[in-house]
Amino acid sequence: MNFERITVNPAQMGGAPCIRGLRIPVATVVAMIADGMNTDEIVSELPDLTVDDVWEALRFAAEAVRERELPLHHAA
């Protein structure tokens, strides 16, 4: 999958995947969604982002999880 809006620079944010070279990590955007914010609220909070940036961050995160095939452990 090709991600045009996601950048990784070892000299920026510890090499964490960020959006368009900004100092806004993908993980920050995903956490905002997890906290219940919608795309409009995120763009309002982080005005350097667009709605398309938010959606690409979510697609990137989903692909990262898919690549790792993280096992789910169920409590007994």
Side-chain angles (χ1 to χ4, degrees), residues 50-66:
T50 67
V51 170
D52 288 340
D53 292 330
V54 174
W55 288 119
E56 184 148 317
L58 290 173
R59 284 190 297 275
F60 180 86
E63 184 64 22
V65 169
R66 201 174 357 245

Side-chain angles (χ1 to χ4, degrees), residues 1-63:
M1 187 172 273
N2 186 26
F3 298 99
E4 296 177 5
R5 297 170 181 274
I6 307 302
T7 56
V8 177
N9 178 348
Q12 183 181 43
M13 302 298 290
C18 291
I19 299 172
R20 292 187 290 111
L22 301 170
R23 293 182 174 276
I24 303 172
V26 168
T28 297
V29 175
V30 172
M32 293 170 93
I33 291 286
D35 287 341
M37 294 178 76
N38 65 40
T39 54
D40 292 333
E41 291 169 329
I42 293 169
V43 170
S44 178
E45 182 84 16
L46 301 170
D48 289 333
L49 297 185
T50 67
V51 170
D52 288 340
D53 292 330
V54 174
W55 288 119
E56 184 148 317
L58 290 173
R59 284 190 297 275
F60 180 86
E63 184 64 22

